[in-house]
Amino acid sequence: MPYHRSGDASAQADKLSGIVEESDLYEGFAPHVETSEIKTLDFYNQPKPSGKEPALRSYTEIQQLLQQGKKRDVKNILRENSWPINSPIRAQLWPMLCGQHLTKQQMLDGFYWEMVHQVFGTTELSEKPIMLPAFVDATHCLPYHLTSTGRAVADRIVNVLGYDCPDITYSPVLYPITSILLHFMSEEEAYMCLAGLVGSKEKVFINQTKLQHEVTWKTVMQIAKKHTKSAISYFQRICPGLKLERVFMDWCWWILAGLPFQHLVRIMDCYFHEGIKVLYRVALVVLNLFHKECQSNNEWSPDNIKNDIGNALIKFCKKIPVSPAKLLHAAFSIRGLSTQYISRIFIKTEMLLKSRSVLNSGSKQLIKSRSSDNLPTSQSQVNIQMMSHTLTIREKLHSESCRNLLFTLWSWLPVRITMYQPVLLYTTEEHGCSLTTFYVRVEQHEPTLLMIKTCNNEVFGAYCSSRWFERNVKDDKGQRQAYFGTGETFLFSLYPERAKYPWVGIEGDKDLGHSSELFMAADSKMITIGGGEGQAIWMDENIRFGKTDGCKTFNNPPLCPSGDFEIRVLEVYGFVGI
């Protein structure tokens, strides 16, 4: 039956947001939890440091901070306040944290039970087993301490979510997260929390496709290679044939299936506010702690772990030798692991995987550039002259030099494009430095010509064959494109060097590798052109700073000597009549 709050409930019961107290010790748990299974770890019995401990913050304090938009303050509180596992605060705190990510307007009172009735024909909980959606990993339907009724409730929630969100095709962590939520709240509240996590636009919480799942574990692996070098080196040394991929495929289960429930609950306090990056940090700490124990504890000697390091990691997590507070403190003390850094690795990995998928399928036909090195036609010369009147990068260059540069650039364009009149769509000097404005003015035009002048007077850019709007286009499985564009895209440098860098596939080389199609990528934080062991052009969301590397897509050198550059002017041209 639906779980309703009675109108005459006590003030305490109301404070617990519908959670019924089963005992003084386990007052914070929902009715469908087998509290006798939850053991208090020795960490809580250890003598506490001398001195007065600061009082734990209340739900009301955190609520007020969120309402004031002070998310950073909330983040710090969640990281530092070690509420006991049975604290009633989570009955209200978790729904509030997850609710801030909700985007669906229809999430009103009664919505969930209407969905339940639509899917099952009744709101009564069936005694028969419920068949789980295909996106669930049957080997990791972790119930933790839920009763049989609690497990049936979890099954029902996941089914309704799958019905309401058909774009979810693979999400092994969704069921365990559901189970964790149900320890502290009602069925309806748990569903609303999941809807917020799944629908979040600003942060990633739960992967929903196989591509996202693979990109995530490969991102964790890349981060670990940088931040846990000694641990990675140790594992590879004791097991020379070890394939790291096999270990990192299960990285999320170190946490969700390995760590004690007390640790997991404290991690969730932070995760529901900050997103999946919290799990990344915890995974790195687990690796470092395991490496340390391997060197001092015979239980984790090379002979005992070398045949199955992945399973040994999960067993180690079950006996992890640090408290939840120390684990989180170590996780959030890792330096150089910013959201932007993680995002760049994630996007790069996604681009590589998407490229390999397209190359293997052979479903996408690449268009070769038909550029000509001949002099522009008479019509083209008129177009160039019109272009030169608005081209701000010509500053500090003689008019004749500017004209010659433009003739050269025009000769590099596909022949059919030279027949059309150029038009200035966007310039930082007139329209401001904002990626949002850039998209509004540029995204529907195809093709576009990007020209950058740095504060060191270097001039370079790219001919972009596809609309920037394609960053929002989804494939048949509902996945956003990691990259887009065609083989007509090319890079160029005009000053001080003059050079064109076409797509490497233009010569018909058959052995291109998986990075040969990384033409264009973009989101709300950055723009990228070219990829594979570097990004040819990368610009930040403020269109102020950028970076240029050599990349495999165009086989180019960095387009300016320093690699990093500050943008003085960015101009984007379209072509009238196309």
Side-chain angles (χ1 to χ4, degrees), residues 71 93 102 112 114 136 145 180 290-291 294 296 313 352 561:
K71 293 187 177 182
L93 179 63
L102 270 173
Y112 173 68
E114 290 178 8
V136 171
H145 307 294
I180 295 169
F290 184 52
H291 175 223
C294 287
S296 59
L313 269 163
L352 293 174

Side-chain angles (χ1 to χ4, degrees), residues 91 209 449 472 520:
T209 68
L449 191 65
N472 297 319
M520 303 160 61

Side-chain angles (χ1 to χ4, degrees), residues 281-456:
R281 287 179 170 275
V282 171
L284 297 184
V285 175
V286 166
L287 278 175
N288 278 329
L289 288 173
F290 184 52
H291 175 223
K292 183 179 179 180
E293 286 291 304
C294 287
Q295 295 175 309
S296 59
N297 190 332
N298 288 333
E299 182 179 359
W300 312 110
S301 66
D303 289 338
N304 290 337
I305 70 171
K306 65 181 181 181
N307 293 328
D308 193 352
I309 292 176
N311 193 41
L313 269 163
I314 294 179
K315 289 181 178 179
F316 165 76
C317 287
K318 293 179 183 296
K319 303 178 181 180
I320 196 159
V322 298
S323 68
K326 287 186 175 180
L327 179 68
L328 285 179
H329 178 74
F332 295 120
S333 297
I334 301 172
R335 297 187 176 184
L337 199 58
S338 67
T339 300
Q340 185 178 20
Y341 164 73
I342 293 173
S343 178
R344 288 185 67 177
I345 293 180
F346 188 94
I347 291 172
K348 181 178 179 181
T349 304
E350 187 177 28
M351 290 170 69
L352 293 174
L353 288 177
K354 198 77 180 289
S355 173
R356 181 171 60 188
S357 173
V358 171
L359 286 173
N360 290 341
S361 67
S363 61
K364 188 173 182 179
Q365 297 297 319
L366 295 177
I367 305 172
K368 289 188 176 182
S369 173
R370 293 173 291 186
S371 299
S372 170
D373 289 329
N374 296 330
L375 290 175
T377 63
S378 57
Q379 180 59 53
S380 295
Q381 292 188 40
V382 173
N383 292 340
I384 292 172
Q385 192 63 40
M386 294 181 65
M387 189 175 184
S388 68
H389 289 314
T390 58
L391 198 64
T392 59
I393 66 161
R394 69 183 184 276
E395 295 176 12
K396 294 192 177 181
L397 293 176
H398 296 299
S399 59
E400 189 63 31
S401 298
C402 178
R403 180 183 174 88
N404 289 337
L405 288 177
L406 292 177
F407 275 145
T408 300
L409 176 58
W410 210 258
S411 72
W412 290 339
L413 298 177
V415 173
R416 71 182 189 284
I417 301 301
T418 64
M419 298 297 105
Y420 297 98
Q421 177 183 326
V423 56
L424 182 63
L425 302 174
Y426 170 84
T427 171
T428 51
E429 290 196 332
E430 181 180 341
H431 305 119
C433 299
S434 165
L435 202 49
T436 301
T437 306
F438 171 92
Y439 289 136
V440 169
R441 299 189 63 86
V442 168
E443 64 180 10
Q444 295 295 346
H445 292 264
E446 177 183 312
T448 52
L449 191 65
L450 273 67
M451 306 184 74
I452 297 168
K453 182 176 183 179
T454 73
C455 289
N456 292 329

Side-chain angles (χ1 to χ4, degrees), residues 340 481 568:
Q340 185 178 20
Q481 296 194 89
R568 180 176 178 182

